[in-house]
Amino acid sequence: MPTLNKIRAALTTHRDPLPADPHLTRLRIAVTAFFAMDGFLFAGWVVRIPAIKAQTGAGAGALGLALLGVSAGAVAFMMITGRLCRRFGSHSVTTASAAALALSIVLPPLTHSATALGLVLLVFGAAYGSLNVAMNSAAVDLISALRRPVMPSFHAAFSLGGMLGAGLGGLVAGSLSATVHLTLLAGIGLLVTAVAGRSLRTHPAPVVPEQRAAAEESRPRGGHEGRGRRLVVVFGLIALCTAYGEGAMADWGALHLTQDLAAGPGAAAAGYAVFALAMTLGRLSGTAVVQRFGAARALIAGGTTATAGMLLGALAPTVWAAGAGFAVAGLGLANIFPIAIARAGETGGPDGVAVASTVGYGGMLLGPPAIGFLAEAAGLPLALTTVALLAAVAAVIAYATRGAHHTGRR
């Protein structure tokens, strides 16, 4: 409810000359609900991985291969989803993908081998990737009608849903089996899909006439088509730099505090928690930041801030200094991914969202294993500085393409 109240307040107090439209408000709440549900379900699955690993009897290597099913399924369906959104509309595809995600989350605890787990995770990953492209495409359409750069608020809902899902999972892990827990989550997911999906089904994707004309004028033609595609890929690369950092922090942040700085389990967990909380807070304030400074400046500032924060987090000699660095890095990384995806959607529509999401998701795949290989060769602190390096690359790319950014203040 606090998040919804903030959304309503932002919609009614903004100085935009257009009056608040109840139709758009309902759509915004519905899309926000899908983002929150996505984070909630995915986090619920993640916290039950240890229990499912024990159930399947898989070793670390076999489990790692099985978990690649999520990524493989997601990447495979992201490009397909762009085409489906263009044919059936992002609202219909969002609703169908959300239902598929809720249903597929019950499959992992039913498996008893690493091979079977990998196969069902292909299905789960396909639904997850499809939902991410479809709901981001729906968000891009809504942003055009609202005339406000509110994409960070949707991703803040994802982060909040993830924090809630992880917290709930931690509370019930000792008393509920993975099967019961994930079945309950499936029920919650289907309920949210039914309620929020009804709003999407009864309200078509908004189109602002002036922006439809502008989109037609700016649609790539002839020699400009290649430039538009390259620009979408550029935004995808910016997203990749962020996703690399998120994946690296999720898998290696707590280990760095424990292994290199002798932190206890509580302090190590708190280190990642402050990173996640900082990202959430950064996304909640992201709309105001983009409106005040513009998308290009927000990306440049975010990349620069994340670079400084990760250098501190990776190289600091104490746990608390490293934790402070993680928090600064979280604030810096918070809005890079949502801004990049929004710009890709404005440039290329659902296909642009699909391409940028696929490229960006590659960073989530690349980060953890790359950090692992580098840690073996040069140590984990030095390996984590690659997060700072890629954040700096994102800032440089954003600066080089600053003329292509038109979201928010110009």
Side-chain angles (χ1 to χ4, degrees), residues 39-47 159-173 181 185 272:
F40 179 76
L41 293 184
F42 191 79
W45 140 250
V46 167
V47 299
S159 297
L160 289 170
M163 294 176 67
L164 179 60
L168 178 63
L171 289 175
V172 305
H181 176 204
L185 294 191
Y272 177 72

Side-chain angles (χ1 to χ4, degrees), residues 35-182:
F35 273 86
M37 185 202 78
D38 188 35
F40 179 76
L41 293 184
F42 191 79
W45 140 250
V46 167
V47 299
R48 300 316 298 244
I49 290 177
I52 294 172
K53 176 181 180 295
Q55 177 178 302
T56 60
L63 178 66
L65 290 175
L67 292 176
L68 281 177
V70 177
S71 303
V75 170
F77 264 75
M78 280 179 171
M79 294 305 298
I80 296 173
T81 303
R83 301 187 188 98
L84 292 175
C85 287
R86 197 169 62 248
R87 179 172 181 179
F88 300 106
S90 60
H91 288 189
S92 297
V93 179
T94 295
T95 303
S97 299
L101 181 67
L103 292 172
S104 63
I105 201 173
V106 304
L107 299 177
L110 302 180
T111 60
H112 297 280
S113 70
T115 301
L117 178 62
L119 291 174
V120 301
L121 289 181
L122 282 171
V123 178
F124 178 75
Y128 178 74
S130 182
L131 177 58
N132 274 268
V133 170
M135 68 185 183
N136 274 290
S137 297
V140 168
D141 292 338
L142 184 55
I143 288 168
S144 296
L146 290 171
R147 300 181 181 182
R148 298 183 62 220
V150 297
M151 183 65 89
S153 70
F154 294 124
H155 287 258
F158 175 87
S159 297
L160 289 170
M163 294 176 67
L164 179 60
L168 178 63
L171 289 175
V172 305
S175 55
L176 295 180
S177 68
T179 302
V180 173
H181 176 204
L182 296 184

Side-chain angles (χ1 to χ4, degrees), residues 182-199:
L182 296 184
T183 300
L184 290 175
L185 294 191
I188 294 172
L190 290 174
L191 178 62
V192 172
T193 300
V195 175
R198 185 174 183 275
S199 292

Side-chain angles (χ1 to χ4, degrees), residues 213-394:
E216 289 298 325
E217 291 176 5
S218 63
R219 188 185 303 278
R221 293 183 178 88
H224 297 290
E225 184 175 358
R227 181 181 179 276
R229 289 175 179 171
R230 287 193 297 272
L231 189 57
V232 167
V233 173
V234 165
F235 290 128
L237 290 174
I238 293 175
L240 180 150
C241 294
T242 305
Y244 179 97
E246 290 187 58
M249 285 299 301
D251 285 9
W252 296 102
L255 181 62
H256 167 58
L257 296 179
T258 303
Q259 172 182 293
D260 301 310
L261 300 177
Y272 177 72
V274 298
F275 171 80
L277 179 60
M279 283 202 71
T280 302
L281 294 176
R283 286 174 170 174
L284 286 172
S285 60
T287 296
V289 170
V290 177
Q291 284 184 309
R292 176 68 179 84
F293 300 105
R297 291 180 182 177
L299 287 176
I300 295 166
T304 304
T305 301
T307 299
M310 274 311 302
L311 286 176
L312 176 61
L315 304 177
T318 67
V319 173
W320 301 114
F326 288 172
V328 173
L331 286 174
L333 292 174
N335 294 309
I336 299 178
F337 192 96
I339 293 173
I341 295 300
R343 292 298 293 119
E346 292 174 13
T347 303
D351 287 339
V353 173
V355 171
S357 297
T358 303
V359 175
Y361 199 75
M364 194 74 76
L365 301 180
L366 177 65
I371 295 291
F373 287 124
L374 290 171
E376 287 186 2
L380 186 52
L382 187 61
L384 286 174
T385 62
T386 59
V387 175
L389 175 63
L390 284 185
V393 169

